[in-house]
Amino acid sequence: RQTVWDHFTVPGQRQQWWPADAVIETTSNRGRGIGTENHCMHGKAAIVEEVLDWRPPDYLTVNTLVPIPGAPKIMLTHAFVDRPDGATRIEMRVAHPKPKDKAFVDQAAAKFKENITKAIEKLRRMLQQQATSEVVIEEPPLPAASVSPST
């Protein structure tokens, strides 16, 4: 589960399996977690995800905004559950949209399902290959906290 979590959340890991030209992360002043924004670049367009809830390595919840004028934010939870065989089950949960947004979210969900199915299969194959060799994913260093001098 920790390995799958890392591939979803550590900068640089997601781009290895997720279909985006780049994934750019902006963190809050508290570091990675709640308040972090991910910009999944597709050409000049960006899908923006804002992390709303974060419980490593169990789940993260994001508000996703697609680059379509008037698009509503779509709330998604990515949950990671241990399976008895040692594998990790990934659950993608979409929050119920407002009635006025339902048609849009249903249409976006169909495209997302197609993309995520291919991406998760790529991630699964990648992790199976890595299982035969030891791979360590290192977190990037956090910026040093600013400390004011004592007087």
Side-chain angles (χ1 to χ4, degrees):
R1 186 171 44 154
Q2 183 66 50
T3 301
V4 174
W5 170 267
D6 290 343
H7 278 83
F8 266 75
T9 63
V10 174
Q13 296 302 312
R14 189 161 153 194
Q15 192 170 333
Q16 294 178 18
W17 60 274
W18 185 248
D21 299 329
V23 179
I24 301 166
E25 180 180 89
T26 305
T27 59
S28 70
N29 60 358
R30 296 177 299 189
R32 295 179 59 240
I34 296 172
T36 295
E37 279 193 1
N38 297 311
H39 297 249
C40 296
M41 304 305 297
H42 300 270
K44 292 182 180 182
I47 296 174
V48 179
E49 299 172 333
E50 176 191 7
V51 177
L52 302 175
D53 196 5
W54 169 279
R55 186 169 301 167
D58 300 325
Y59 69 86
L60 72 145
T61 299
V62 296
N63 253 346
T64 302
L65 183 60
V66 297
I68 297 174
K73 289 184 178 179
I74 302 170
M75 188 182 305
L76 300 165
T77 296
H78 307 287
F80 309 99
V81 181
D82 290 330
R83 290 179 22 176
D85 64 0
T88 300
R89 177 178 147 141
I90 302 168
E91 297 177 0
M92 305 261 183
R93 305 171 187 153
V94 180
H96 290 286
K98 295 176 183 175
K100 69 179 182 64
D101 298 329
K102 185 172 179 0
F104 180 90
V105 172
D106 288 348
Q107 183 179 3
K111 183 66 175 168
F112 179 76
K113 181 179 180 181
E114 178 184 325
N115 289 339
I116 196 68
T117 299
K118 290 176 187 173
I120 293 296
E121 179 57 28
K122 183 177 181 179
L123 176 61
R124 186 184 64 75
R125 285 192 313 269
M126 191 175 81
L127 293 177
Q128 284 176 334
Q129 290 173 347
Q130 288 178 358
T132 59
S133 62
E134 187 174 328
V135 176
V136 176
I137 298 173
E138 294 187 23
E139 289 275 348
L142 292 175
S146 61
V147 179
S148 7
S150 304
T151 53

